[in-house]
Amino acid sequence: MLAPLLHRLKGPVAVAVLASAISSLFPVLLLSFIRRGLEQGASSIGLPDIALFMCLVGCLFLFGLAGQLLLARLGARLVLEVRQCLLGHIGQMSFRDFERFGSERLRASLMKDVTAVANAFTMLPHIVYNGLLVAACLAYLLYVSWPLFLALTAFLSVIVIVSVVLVRLVIREFRTLRNLEDGLFGTFATLFDGAKELATDPLRRAFFHAEIVAPRAEAIRLQDFRAQRYWSLSNNWNAVIVFLALGFVVVSPSLLDSVSAGDSTAFALALFFMVMPLNFLSVTTQ
């Protein structure tokens, strides 16, 4: 269903992605401009340089805004057409097919599945934009100093492996928490269905609360704390990664002969700039 729609909208999608790609070039130019200003000193910066800097900032804002708005508009249009297409298919279904699929499943497709598509396409403009920003910055760093880029990549690879392990632990613990909560909700359904029997039998009601509801609620409390513990550990580790990378960049001129102080400055600026895009991509992909 989505493939034909995406194929039909490939022209506008290409224009929107191109605008985002162009906007991702301006941060690289701005980083290069700032690096040159730091190396040459404030006395070398004149009015033409200030005008060029403001022009680059304006282009970054305009092209970034244009690309994200175009992708957001396409996402809203795509969600509308998916919902209309799905409604059309359901309206043309025979009664036999309707009974075979079930009304609950079809209702879930209209509400949950289309909502999931809507959420995905709502995030798509930001994912594309931030992904292109990170790619452009990495290309810039590779251009500035490929030895430092390779050394930093090797250094971060070890740290990222630890981050991936933590993320997987977080996902596993929250999945377990979700399963426990589903079991408790099933218990609540039993409570509502058997409310009359429990109301007329105090012993059965006490047993139900003490031996069924209470243990499951306590298990959820313990699992929730366990999941939050891993989540906090993962978040703080991600914060540490940035400063570990910056520390490595700062000492890199003394470790690598081919790396200058200017190269180290350029890497530090780029790393600071990539913190927010990388954090957004990390959270979104989880």
Side-chain angles (χ1 to χ4, degrees):
M1 182 183 297
L2 291 177
L5 293 176
L6 289 174
H7 180 75
R8 183 155 51 88
L9 298 175
K10 63 181 181 180
V13 169
V15 173
V17 172
L18 179 61
S20 296
I22 294 174
S23 69
S24 67
L25 298 177
F26 292 105
V28 173
L29 297 175
L30 287 168
L31 288 173
S32 179
F33 183 90
I34 294 172
R35 177 196 177 191
R36 181 171 61 87
L38 291 174
E39 290 178 345
Q40 297 179 359
S43 59
S44 64
I45 300 176
L47 289 178
D49 296 319
I50 297 176
L52 176 61
F53 178 81
M54 296 305 298
C55 181
L56 292 174
V57 172
C59 290
L60 170 63
F61 175 79
L62 292 176
F63 277 96
L65 181 63
Q68 292 183 53
L69 289 179
L70 286 172
L71 284 171
R73 182 178 180 181
L74 289 173
R77 178 180 173 185
L78 184 62
V79 170
L80 174 62
E81 295 197 16
V82 168
R83 183 174 282 115
Q84 290 178 340
C85 184
L86 190 57
L87 283 171
H89 282 300
I90 294 176
Q92 295 175 1
M93 289 176 59
S94 63
F95 181 77
R96 180 179 178 183
D97 290 335
F98 189 86
E99 289 292 325
R100 181 165 58 90
F101 284 103
S103 60
E104 294 296 329
R105 183 179 176 185
L106 294 174
R107 187 182 297 113
S109 297
L110 279 173
M111 298 178 64
K112 294 183 178 180
D113 294 344
V114 175
T115 301
V117 172
N119 292 335
F121 276 92
T122 299
M123 300 303 296
L124 179 61
H126 306 286
I127 293 174
V128 171
Y129 180 71
N130 286 282
L132 290 172
L133 282 181
V134 172
C137 287
L138 292 177
Y140 169 70
L141 294 180
L142 183 61
Y143 168 77
V144 169
S145 175
W146 66 266
L148 180 55
F149 179 83
L150 295 179
L152 181 62
T153 301
F155 176 75
L156 288 178
S157 296
V158 179
I159 301 176
V160 169
I161 289 174
V162 178
S163 180
V164 170
V165 172
L166 289 176
V167 168
R168 289 182 177 179
L169 286 174
V170 170
I171 294 174
R172 186 192 68 183
E173 296 302 327
F174 274 103
R175 185 179 292 118
T176 302
L177 177 62
R178 176 63 182 271
N179 292 334
L180 290 175
E181 289 176 340
D182 289 343
L184 183 62
F185 294 153
T187 303
F188 290 160
T190 304
L191 174 64
F192 295 144
D193 294 338
K196 183 177 180 180
E197 290 80 2
L198 293 176
T200 58
D201 191 338
L203 293 178
R204 179 179 294 181
R205 182 172 65 249
F207 176 84
F208 182 80
H209 286 286
E211 302 297 331
I212 298 179
V213 176
R216 293 185 177 181
E218 177 64 14
I220 289 176
R221 184 188 70 82
L222 295 175
Q223 182 61 32
D224 184 38
F225 175 73
R226 181 182 176 89
Q228 293 295 336
R229 182 175 59 189
Y230 281 112
W231 174 257
S232 300
L233 183 61
S234 177
N235 280 342
N236 285 278
W237 178 253
N238 289 334
V240 167
I241 288 177
V242 177
F243 291 97
L244 287 175
L246 288 172
F248 180 82
V249 166
V250 169
V251 301
S252 60
S254 61
L255 300 176
L256 301 172
D257 295 335
S258 59
V259 177
S260 65
D263 297 336
S264 179
T265 301
F267 270 72
L269 289 172
L271 286 174
F272 267 120
F273 179 78
M274 288 192 296
V275 167
M276 291 185 63
L278 285 173
N279 184 64
F280 175 82
L281 293 174
S282 176
V283 172
T284 304
T285 53
Q286 290 178 26

